[in-house]
mmCIF file of all heavy atoms in Angstrom:
data_model
loop_
_atom_site.group_PDB
_atom_site.id
_atom_site.type_symbol
_atom_site.label_atom_id
_atom_site.label_comp_id
_atom_site.label_asym_id
_atom_site.label_seq_id
_atom_site.Cartn_x
_atom_site.Cartn_y
_atom_site.Cartn_z
ATOM 1 N N PRO A 13 1.483 -74.314 -5.545
ATOM 2 C CA PRO A 13 2.235 -73.332 -6.326
ATOM 3 C C PRO A 13 1.380 -72.121 -6.705
ATOM 4 O O PRO A 13 0.153 -72.174 -6.684
ATOM 5 C CB PRO A 13 2.604 -74.123 -7.579
ATOM 6 C CG PRO A 13 1.458 -75.068 -7.754
ATOM 7 C CD PRO A 13 1.060 -75.471 -6.351
ATOM 8 N N ARG A 14 2.059 -71.047 -7.067
ATOM 9 C CA ARG A 14 1.373 -69.906 -7.660
ATOM 10 C C ARG A 14 1.285 -70.167 -9.159
ATOM 11 O O ARG A 14 2.259 -70.567 -9.788
ATOM 12 C CB ARG A 14 2.132 -68.611 -7.398
ATOM 13 C CG ARG A 14 2.173 -68.217 -5.928
ATOM 14 C CD ARG A 14 2.755 -66.828 -5.782
ATOM 15 N NE ARG A 14 4.089 -66.736 -6.395
ATOM 16 C CZ ARG A 14 4.657 -65.601 -6.767
ATOM 17 N NH1 ARG A 14 4.001 -64.461 -6.638
ATOM 18 N NH2 ARG A 14 5.876 -65.595 -7.285
ATOM 19 N N ILE A 15 0.110 -69.911 -9.723
ATOM 20 C CA ILE A 15 -0.107 -70.247 -11.131
ATOM 21 C C ILE A 15 -0.651 -69.032 -11.880
ATOM 22 O O ILE A 15 -1.568 -68.362 -11.409
ATOM 23 C CB ILE A 15 -1.093 -71.428 -11.275
ATOM 24 C CG1 ILE A 15 -0.475 -72.711 -10.675
ATOM 25 C CG2 ILE A 15 -1.451 -71.659 -12.736
ATOM 26 C CD1 ILE A 15 -1.396 -73.906 -10.716
ATOM 27 N N MET A 16 -0.074 -68.765 -13.045
ATOM 28 C CA MET A 16 -0.595 -67.768 -13.964
ATOM 29 C C MET A 16 -1.117 -68.511 -15.185
ATOM 30 O O MET A 16 -0.351 -69.145 -15.916
ATOM 31 C CB MET A 16 0.500 -66.778 -14.368
ATOM 32 C CG MET A 16 0.026 -65.685 -15.308
ATOM 33 S SD MET A 16 -0.995 -64.441 -14.479
ATOM 34 C CE MET A 16 0.284 -63.485 -13.645
ATOM 35 N N ALA A 17 -2.428 -68.471 -15.399
ATOM 36 C CA ALA A 17 -3.047 -69.150 -16.536
ATOM 37 C C ALA A 17 -3.517 -68.116 -17.546
ATOM 38 O O ALA A 17 -3.916 -67.007 -17.179
ATOM 39 C CB ALA A 17 -4.219 -70.010 -16.067
ATOM 40 N N THR A 18 -3.480 -68.466 -18.814
ATOM 41 C CA THR A 18 -3.856 -67.528 -19.867
ATOM 42 C C THR A 18 -5.110 -68.003 -20.587
ATOM 43 O O THR A 18 -5.421 -69.191 -20.614
ATOM 44 C CB THR A 18 -2.729 -67.364 -20.896
ATOM 45 O OG1 THR A 18 -2.530 -68.607 -21.579
ATOM 46 C CG2 THR A 18 -1.428 -66.964 -20.200
ATOM 47 N N LEU A 19 -5.815 -67.062 -21.178
ATOM 48 C CA LEU A 19 -7.003 -67.361 -21.956
ATOM 49 C C LEU A 19 -7.156 -66.299 -23.035
ATOM 50 O O LEU A 19 -6.527 -65.242 -22.975
ATOM 51 C CB LEU A 19 -8.246 -67.434 -21.069
ATOM 52 C CG LEU A 19 -8.901 -66.151 -20.552
ATOM 53 C CD1 LEU A 19 -10.163 -66.507 -19.781
ATOM 54 C CD2 LEU A 19 -7.980 -65.348 -19.660
ATOM 55 N N PRO A 20 -7.979 -66.548 -24.057
ATOM 56 C CA PRO A 20 -8.133 -65.563 -25.135
ATOM 57 C C PRO A 20 -8.661 -64.230 -24.635
ATOM 58 O O PRO A 20 -9.303 -64.147 -23.590
ATOM 59 C CB PRO A 20 -9.144 -66.240 -26.082
ATOM 60 C CG PRO A 20 -9.010 -67.692 -25.806
ATOM 61 C CD PRO A 20 -8.709 -67.789 -24.342
ATOM 62 N N ALA A 21 -8.401 -63.188 -25.405
ATOM 63 C CA ALA A 21 -8.863 -61.850 -25.043
ATOM 64 C C ALA A 21 -10.376 -61.740 -25.204
ATOM 65 O O ALA A 21 -10.978 -62.401 -26.045
ATOM 66 C CB ALA A 21 -8.170 -60.807 -25.921
ATOM 67 N N GLY A 22 -10.969 -60.923 -24.365
ATOM 68 C CA GLY A 22 -12.368 -60.580 -24.529
ATOM 69 C C GLY A 22 -13.376 -61.592 -24.017
ATOM 70 O O GLY A 22 -14.561 -61.510 -24.350
ATOM 71 N N LEU A 23 -12.944 -62.561 -23.195
ATOM 72 C CA LEU A 23 -13.888 -63.534 -22.660
ATOM 73 C C LEU A 23 -14.641 -62.949 -21.471
ATOM 74 O O LEU A 23 -14.255 -61.947 -20.885
ATOM 75 C CB LEU A 23 -13.163 -64.815 -22.236
ATOM 76 C CG LEU A 23 -12.467 -65.608 -23.344
ATOM 77 C CD1 LEU A 23 -11.976 -66.937 -22.805
ATOM 78 C CD2 LEU A 23 -13.401 -65.844 -24.530
ATOM 79 N N THR A 24 -15.733 -63.609 -21.111
ATOM 80 C CA THR A 24 -16.583 -63.121 -20.025
ATOM 81 C C THR A 24 -15.983 -63.465 -18.662
ATOM 82 O O THR A 24 -15.086 -64.309 -18.550
ATOM 83 C CB THR A 24 -17.984 -63.748 -20.120
ATOM 84 O OG1 THR A 24 -17.872 -65.167 -19.901
ATOM 85 C CG2 THR A 24 -18.606 -63.501 -21.485
ATOM 86 N N GLU A 25 -16.520 -62.831 -17.630
ATOM 87 C CA GLU A 25 -16.073 -63.107 -16.269
ATOM 88 C C GLU A 25 -16.347 -64.559 -15.899
ATOM 89 O O GLU A 25 -15.555 -65.200 -15.196
ATOM 90 C CB GLU A 25 -16.793 -62.171 -15.300
ATOM 91 C CG GLU A 25 -16.295 -62.275 -13.859
ATOM 92 C CD GLU A 25 -14.872 -61.792 -13.688
ATOM 93 O OE1 GLU A 25 -14.393 -61.034 -14.542
ATOM 94 O OE2 GLU A 25 -14.223 -62.201 -12.705
ATOM 95 N N LEU A 26 -17.463 -65.110 -16.385
ATOM 96 C CA LEU A 26 -17.793 -66.508 -16.113
ATOM 97 C C LEU A 26 -16.747 -67.441 -16.705
ATOM 98 O O LEU A 26 -16.351 -68.436 -16.083
ATOM 99 C CB LEU A 26 -19.176 -66.847 -16.682
ATOM 100 C CG LEU A 26 -19.655 -68.291 -16.490
ATOM 101 C CD1 LEU A 26 -19.756 -68.635 -15.013
ATOM 102 C CD2 LEU A 26 -20.993 -68.513 -17.194
ATOM 103 N N GLN A 27 -16.275 -67.118 -17.899
ATOM 104 C CA GLN A 27 -15.257 -67.945 -18.533
ATOM 105 C C GLN A 27 -13.919 -67.819 -17.805
ATOM 106 O O GLN A 27 -13.162 -68.777 -17.726
ATOM 107 C CB GLN A 27 -15.138 -67.558 -20.005
ATOM 108 C CG GLN A 27 -16.340 -67.999 -20.828
ATOM 109 C CD GLN A 27 -16.434 -67.306 -22.177
ATOM 110 O OE1 GLN A 27 -15.972 -66.175 -22.346
ATOM 111 N NE2 GLN A 27 -17.031 -67.978 -23.146
ATOM 112 N N HIS A 28 -13.639 -66.624 -17.254
ATOM 113 C CA HIS A 28 -12.457 -66.456 -16.415
ATOM 114 C C HIS A 28 -12.546 -67.381 -15.198
ATOM 115 O O HIS A 28 -11.583 -68.070 -14.848
ATOM 116 C CB HIS A 28 -12.356 -65.003 -15.935
ATOM 117 C CG HIS A 28 -11.705 -64.085 -16.907
ATOM 118 N ND1 HIS A 28 -10.466 -63.528 -16.699
ATOM 119 C CD2 HIS A 28 -12.113 -63.629 -18.114
ATOM 120 C CE1 HIS A 28 -10.143 -62.757 -17.721
ATOM 121 N NE2 HIS A 28 -11.135 -62.795 -18.592
ATOM 122 N N HIS A 29 -13.711 -67.377 -14.548
ATOM 123 C CA HIS A 29 -13.910 -68.210 -13.365
ATOM 124 C C HIS A 29 -13.794 -69.697 -13.711
ATOM 125 O O HIS A 29 -13.242 -70.476 -12.930
ATOM 126 C CB HIS A 29 -15.280 -67.929 -12.745
ATOM 127 C CG HIS A 29 -15.290 -66.742 -11.833
ATOM 128 N ND1 HIS A 29 -14.729 -66.763 -10.570
ATOM 129 C CD2 HIS A 29 -15.771 -65.492 -12.002
ATOM 130 C CE1 HIS A 29 -14.882 -65.589 -9.999
ATOM 131 N NE2 HIS A 29 -15.507 -64.786 -10.846
ATOM 132 N N SER A 30 -14.331 -70.078 -14.859
ATOM 133 C CA SER A 30 -14.297 -71.475 -15.261
ATOM 134 C C SER A 30 -12.868 -71.973 -15.399
ATOM 135 O O SER A 30 -12.513 -73.050 -14.911
ATOM 136 C CB SER A 30 -15.053 -71.645 -16.592
ATOM 137 O OG SER A 30 -15.055 -72.998 -16.998
ATOM 138 N N LEU A 31 -12.008 -71.161 -16.042
ATOM 139 C CA LEU A 31 -10.608 -71.537 -16.183
ATOM 140 C C LEU A 31 -9.913 -71.560 -14.829
ATOM 141 O O LEU A 31 -9.164 -72.492 -14.507
ATOM 142 C CB LEU A 31 -9.893 -70.576 -17.128
ATOM 143 C CG LEU A 31 -8.381 -70.787 -17.287
ATOM 144 C CD1 LEU A 31 -8.082 -72.193 -17.811
ATOM 145 C CD2 LEU A 31 -7.775 -69.744 -18.215
ATOM 146 N N ALA A 32 -10.161 -70.536 -13.995
ATOM 147 C CA ALA A 32 -9.526 -70.473 -12.678
ATOM 148 C C ALA A 32 -9.906 -71.683 -11.829
ATOM 149 O O ALA A 32 -9.068 -72.262 -11.135
ATOM 150 C CB ALA A 32 -9.917 -69.180 -11.969
ATOM 151 N N ASN A 33 -11.171 -72.095 -11.895
ATOM 152 C CA ASN A 33 -11.624 -73.237 -11.108
ATOM 153 C C ASN A 33 -10.986 -74.538 -11.577
ATOM 154 O O ASN A 33 -10.668 -75.419 -10.773
ATOM 155 C CB ASN A 33 -13.146 -73.349 -11.173
ATOM 156 C CG ASN A 33 -13.839 -72.247 -10.403
ATOM 157 O OD1 ASN A 33 -13.278 -71.678 -9.476
ATOM 158 N ND2 ASN A 33 -15.068 -71.923 -10.800
ATOM 159 N N ALA A 34 -10.795 -74.676 -12.913
ATOM 160 C CA ALA A 34 -10.153 -75.883 -13.437
ATOM 161 C C ALA A 34 -8.694 -75.952 -12.982
ATOM 162 O O ALA A 34 -8.206 -77.009 -12.572
ATOM 163 C CB ALA A 34 -10.233 -75.902 -14.960
ATOM 164 N N VAL A 35 -8.014 -74.808 -13.025
ATOM 165 C CA VAL A 35 -6.616 -74.767 -12.583
ATOM 166 C C VAL A 35 -6.536 -74.991 -11.074
ATOM 167 O O VAL A 35 -5.603 -75.624 -10.572
ATOM 168 C CB VAL A 35 -5.969 -73.426 -12.969
ATOM 169 C CG1 VAL A 35 -4.549 -73.335 -12.428
ATOM 170 C CG2 VAL A 35 -5.957 -73.255 -14.481
ATOM 171 N N GLU A 36 -7.533 -74.495 -10.361
ATOM 172 C CA GLU A 36 -7.599 -74.676 -8.913
ATOM 173 C C GLU A 36 -7.554 -76.153 -8.539
ATOM 174 O O GLU A 36 -6.863 -76.559 -7.601
ATOM 175 C CB GLU A 36 -8.882 -74.029 -8.390
ATOM 176 C CG GLU A 36 -9.148 -74.214 -6.916
ATOM 177 C CD GLU A 36 -10.495 -73.615 -6.532
ATOM 178 O OE1 GLU A 36 -11.485 -73.845 -7.258
ATOM 179 O OE2 GLU A 36 -10.537 -72.919 -5.525
ATOM 180 N N SER A 37 -8.270 -76.957 -9.307
ATOM 181 C CA SER A 37 -8.328 -78.387 -9.006
ATOM 182 C C SER A 37 -6.992 -79.081 -9.225
ATOM 183 O O SER A 37 -6.787 -80.194 -8.751
ATOM 184 C CB SER A 37 -9.396 -79.054 -9.885
ATOM 185 O OG SER A 37 -10.669 -78.511 -9.618
ATOM 186 N N ALA A 38 -6.097 -78.397 -9.954
ATOM 187 C CA ALA A 38 -4.784 -78.985 -10.205
ATOM 188 C C ALA A 38 -3.783 -78.679 -9.101
ATOM 189 O O ALA A 38 -2.651 -79.148 -9.141
ATOM 190 C CB ALA A 38 -4.237 -78.504 -11.545
ATOM 191 N N GLY A 39 -4.172 -77.858 -8.127
ATOM 192 C CA GLY A 39 -3.318 -77.659 -6.966
ATOM 193 C C GLY A 39 -2.720 -76.294 -6.790
ATOM 194 O O GLY A 39 -1.751 -76.149 -6.054
ATOM 195 N N GLY A 40 -3.248 -75.268 -7.453
ATOM 196 C CA GLY A 40 -2.693 -73.928 -7.322
ATOM 197 C C GLY A 40 -3.055 -73.260 -6.001
ATOM 198 O O GLY A 40 -4.074 -73.569 -5.391
ATOM 199 N N ARG A 41 -2.226 -72.344 -5.559
ATOM 200 C CA ARG A 41 -2.520 -71.580 -4.349
ATOM 201 C C ARG A 41 -3.136 -70.227 -4.725
ATOM 202 O O ARG A 41 -4.239 -69.918 -4.339
ATOM 203 C CB ARG A 41 -1.238 -71.364 -3.537
ATOM 204 C CG ARG A 41 -1.469 -70.567 -2.256
ATOM 205 C CD ARG A 41 -0.188 -70.433 -1.436
ATOM 206 N NE ARG A 41 0.738 -69.457 -1.991
ATOM 207 C CZ ARG A 41 1.914 -69.749 -2.519
ATOM 208 N NH1 ARG A 41 2.287 -71.019 -2.591
ATOM 209 N NH2 ARG A 41 2.707 -68.810 -2.985
ATOM 210 N N ASN A 42 -2.395 -69.427 -5.455
ATOM 211 C CA ASN A 42 -2.889 -68.158 -5.970
ATOM 212 C C ASN A 42 -2.945 -68.248 -7.484
ATOM 213 O O ASN A 42 -1.935 -68.487 -8.129
ATOM 214 C CB ASN A 42 -1.967 -66.996 -5.559
ATOM 215 C CG ASN A 42 -2.030 -66.718 -4.073
ATOM 216 O OD1 ASN A 42 -3.101 -66.807 -3.477
ATOM 217 N ND2 ASN A 42 -0.893 -66.418 -3.468
ATOM 218 N N ILE A 43 -4.115 -68.067 -8.027
ATOM 219 C CA ILE A 43 -4.301 -68.208 -9.467
ATOM 220 C C ILE A 43 -4.620 -66.850 -10.066
ATOM 221 O O ILE A 43 -5.565 -66.185 -9.648
ATOM 222 C CB ILE A 43 -5.447 -69.180 -9.797
ATOM 223 C CG1 ILE A 43 -5.159 -70.557 -9.192
ATOM 224 C CG2 ILE A 43 -5.631 -69.303 -11.301
ATOM 225 C CD1 ILE A 43 -6.323 -71.504 -9.272
ATOM 226 N N SER A 44 -3.831 -66.450 -11.032
ATOM 227 C CA SER A 44 -4.101 -65.234 -11.776
ATOM 228 C C SER A 44 -4.419 -65.627 -13.211
ATOM 229 O O SER A 44 -3.686 -66.406 -13.821
ATOM 230 C CB SER A 44 -2.886 -64.302 -11.742
ATOM 231 O OG SER A 44 -3.191 -63.071 -12.323
ATOM 232 N N VAL A 45 -5.523 -65.121 -13.722
ATOM 233 C CA VAL A 45 -5.952 -65.439 -15.080
ATOM 234 C C VAL A 45 -5.877 -64.169 -15.916
ATOM 235 O O VAL A 45 -6.530 -63.179 -15.605
ATOM 236 C CB VAL A 45 -7.390 -65.999 -15.095
ATOM 237 C CG1 VAL A 45 -7.827 -66.315 -16.519
ATOM 238 C CG2 VAL A 45 -7.483 -67.254 -14.229
ATOM 239 N N ILE A 46 -5.048 -64.185 -16.956
ATOM 240 C CA ILE A 46 -4.895 -62.998 -17.794
ATOM 241 C C ILE A 46 -5.024 -63.361 -19.268
ATOM 242 O O ILE A 46 -4.897 -64.529 -19.648
ATOM 243 C CB ILE A 46 -3.537 -62.301 -17.559
ATOM 244 C CG1 ILE A 46 -2.380 -63.250 -17.877
ATOM 245 C CG2 ILE A 46 -3.433 -61.758 -16.148
ATOM 246 C CD1 ILE A 46 -1.032 -62.575 -17.878
#
């Protein structure tokens, strides 16, 4: 599936990647983190 995941404002790029990678393991195809 396509997944849009959310996170708090003002986080670092590393924290964006960390969330995207966790969601990736759940089976997403295209992950957008906003």
Side-chain angles (χ1 to χ4, degrees):
R14 294 189 304 159
I15 295 177
M16 181 74 78
T18 65
L19 77 176
L23 296 188
T24 65
E25 186 67 21
L26 179 61
Q27 289 164 332
H28 276 249
H29 276 286
S30 181
L31 175 59
N33 289 335
V35 176
E36 176 184 45
S37 298
R41 180 177 76 247
N42 291 322
I43 301 171
S44 187
V45 180
I46 60 171

